[in-house]
């Protein structure tokens, strides 16, 4: 593995990718509920990877000078080592990494003679801007961390793009198997995790048939059986949920054009890696009040309704089509819908 760390400007990335929040943090356009969930998820990820972290005073920081210094360091290994020290000093020790003396010491240690004055030169400023613009134009990059993986020795060197720390298990599978066609089991539980008695654990699964992500999660629930004997299904109306938390659009609709393009690619990859076929429903967005009510009458219908939505292009909001789907799968559609 040959890691190459490429500095970019996050605010510039938002600008070039036409993010809805402009140059501001993505959290500025999140609902309060989503912000709370993301904060909790970050805590889980830190625990999972055993990473110590504390937010520095004055965060968020304007790291322009830091990114320019990293851009000025030509050697890939030295740049990576410098970036790793910056991360540790900022997020573990809470050192002021914007201090001029601190940056000068970094330049002396990792820059092979780099003078701090270089960060004000037109060449370095333009190089950092070009790095940022190229990231968006070439890789549909919209946020960090984003990892580009190239497999050496492949007949055609394909570039695989991954956004977010939660995609690290995918990268592990790709490097291990040299392909993205096997289920990345590490996505659901680290190998070091030793569950308690499964009979004591319960999973509540909130879903709406209108969501293809719900279908993907439902199709993989069996992987969690060793950790929880009881799975309780909780149907919700996704549109009403969006309204309740102050979100008026679906994730695809709310994303900027660049992010939406990445999301579609990543969405396809999720299904591919899980070995699950799907066909995007031509009737989307689906009206699912009726099938959700059917599920409440008979929970056994969940599998056939999900597959009807996302594998067989059934318009489950149409009473006639839903009734036929239920009948084909051995249910009394007439009685369930009545």
């Amino acid at each position: 593995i040959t890691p190459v760390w490429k500095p970019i400007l996050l605010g510039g990335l938002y600008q070039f990718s036409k993010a809805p929040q402009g140059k501001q943090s993505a959290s500025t356009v999140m609902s309060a509920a989503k912000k709370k969930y993301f904060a909790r998820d970050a805590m889980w990820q830190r625990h999972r990877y055993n990473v110590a972290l504390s937010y520095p005073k004055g965060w968020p920081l304007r790291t322009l000078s830091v990114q320019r210094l990293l851009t000025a360091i030509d050697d890939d290994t030295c740049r990576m080592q410098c970036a790793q020290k910056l991360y540790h000093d900022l997020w573990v020790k809470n050192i002021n990494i914007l201090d001029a003396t601190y940056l000068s010491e970094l330049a002396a240690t990792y820059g092979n003679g780099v003078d701090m004055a270089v960060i004000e030169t037109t060449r370095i400023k333009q190089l950092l801007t070009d790095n940022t613009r190229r990231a968006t134009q070439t890789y549909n990059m919209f946020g960090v961390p984003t990892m580009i993986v190239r497999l050496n020795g492949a007949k055609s060197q394909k570039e695989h793009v991954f956004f977010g720390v939660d995609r690290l298990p995918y990268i592990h599978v790709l490097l291990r198997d040299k392909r993205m066609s096997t289920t990345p089991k590490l996505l659901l539980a680290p190998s070091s995790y030793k569950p308690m008695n499964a009979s004591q654990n319960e999973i509540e699964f909130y879903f709406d048939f209108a969501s293809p992500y719900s279908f993907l999660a439902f199709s993989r629930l069996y992987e969690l059986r060793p950790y929880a004997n009881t799975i309780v299904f909780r149907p919700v109306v996704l549109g009403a949920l969006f309204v309740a938390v102050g979100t008026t659009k679906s994730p695809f609709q709310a994303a900027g054009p660049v992010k939406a393009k990445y999301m579609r690619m990543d969405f396809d990859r999720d299904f591919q890696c899980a070995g699950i076929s799907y066909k995007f429903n031509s009737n989307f967005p689906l009206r699912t009040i009726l099938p959700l009510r059917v599920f409440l009458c008979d929970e056994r219908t969940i599998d056939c309704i999900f597959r009807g939505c996302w594998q067989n292009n059934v318009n489950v909001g149409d009473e006639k089509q839903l009734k036929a789907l239920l009948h084909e799968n051995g249910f009394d559609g007439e009685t369930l819908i009545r």
Side-chain angles (χ1 to χ4, degrees), residues 81-94:
Q81 291 173 348
C82 184
Q84 289 172 331
K85 178 170 176 57
L86 281 160
Y87 271 121
H88 185 79
D89 286 352
L90 175 63
W91 293 103
V92 178
K93 295 183 176 180
N94 290 165

Side-chain angles (χ1 to χ4, degrees), residues 143-196:
V144 290
T146 296
M147 288 72 70
I148 315 299
V149 180
R150 304 177 186 93
L151 295 179
N152 293 325
K155 292 182 179 178
S156 59
Q157 192 180 62
K158 181 179 178 181
E159 295 181 318
H160 301 262
V161 184
F162 302 90
F163 166 73
V165 67
D166 58 339
R167 288 300 184 262
L168 289 175
Y170 274 126
I171 296 176
H172 173 263
V173 169
L174 177 61
L175 294 174
R176 183 193 66 197
D177 298 341
K178 308 301 181 185
R179 58 178 181 171
M180 289 299 301
S181 58
T182 56
T183 302
K185 299 290 185 181
L186 288 178
L187 275 175
L188 297 183
S191 57
S192 60
Y193 178 62
K194 303 300 180 184
M196 298 168 58

Side-chain angles (χ1 to χ4, degrees), residues 17 20 27 30 42 70 88 91 105 120 137 215 228 269 274 311:
S17 65
S27 64
M30 286 183 188
L70 290 169
H88 185 79
W91 293 103
E105 292 173 354
E120 297 299 333
Q137 293 176 344
F215 171 54
R269 182 167 58 197
Q311 289 183 335

Side-chain angles (χ1 to χ4, degrees), residues 65-124:
S65 58
V66 175
Q67 298 303 92
R68 286 178 180 172
L69 172 59
L70 290 169
T71 303
I73 299 175
D74 293 327
D75 184 84
D76 290 334
T77 300
C78 290
R79 188 189 314 113
M80 177 182 69
Q81 291 173 348
C82 184
Q84 289 172 331
K85 178 170 176 57
L86 281 160
Y87 271 121
H88 185 79
D89 286 352
L90 175 63
W91 293 103
V92 178
K93 295 183 176 180
N94 290 165
I95 290 174
N96 178 13
I97 64 170
L98 304 182
D99 178 75
T101 301
Y102 171 84
L103 289 176
S104 295
E105 292 173 354
L106 281 185
T109 303
Y110 299 100
N112 293 324
V114 168
D115 190 302
M116 279 303 296
V118 75
I119 70 173
E120 297 299 333
T121 63
T122 301
R123 183 182 72 85
I124 293 300

Side-chain angles (χ1 to χ4, degrees), residues 177-232:
D177 298 341
K178 308 301 181 185
R179 58 178 181 171
M180 289 299 301
S181 58
T182 56
T183 302
K185 299 290 185 181
L186 288 178
L187 275 175
L188 297 183
S191 57
S192 60
Y193 178 62
K194 303 300 180 184
M196 298 168 58
N197 187 341
S199 64
Q200 299 175 353
N201 300 332
E202 178 181 286
I203 296 172
E204 282 188 288
F205 181 72
Y206 288 80
F207 71 95
D208 186 344
F209 293 120
S211 164
Y213 289 105
S214 290
F215 171 54
L216 175 62
F218 167 74
S219 300
R220 297 196 64 182
L221 274 178
Y222 72 92
E223 295 179 41
L224 295 176
R225 285 294 186 185
Y227 309 101
N229 285 352
T230 303
I231 298 178
V232 180

Side-chain angles (χ1 to χ4, degrees), residues 212-274:
Y213 289 105
S214 290
F215 171 54
L216 175 62
F218 167 74
S219 300
R220 297 196 64 182
L221 274 178
Y222 72 92
E223 295 179 41
L224 295 176
R225 285 294 186 185
Y227 309 101
N229 285 352
T230 303
I231 298 178
V232 180
F233 294 98
R234 303 290 191 197
V236 297
V237 179
L238 188 57
L241 189 65
F242 285 159
V243 172
V245 299
T247 301
T248 58
K249 299 178 180 179
S250 72
F252 278 103
Q253 293 171 325
V258 173
K259 184 176 181 179
K261 189 173 182 180
Y262 170 85
M263 289 174 66
R264 286 190 290 270
M265 179 277 295
D266 191 58
F267 178 79
D268 290 340
R269 182 167 58 197
D270 280 339
F271 277 90
Q272 176 191 352
C273 290

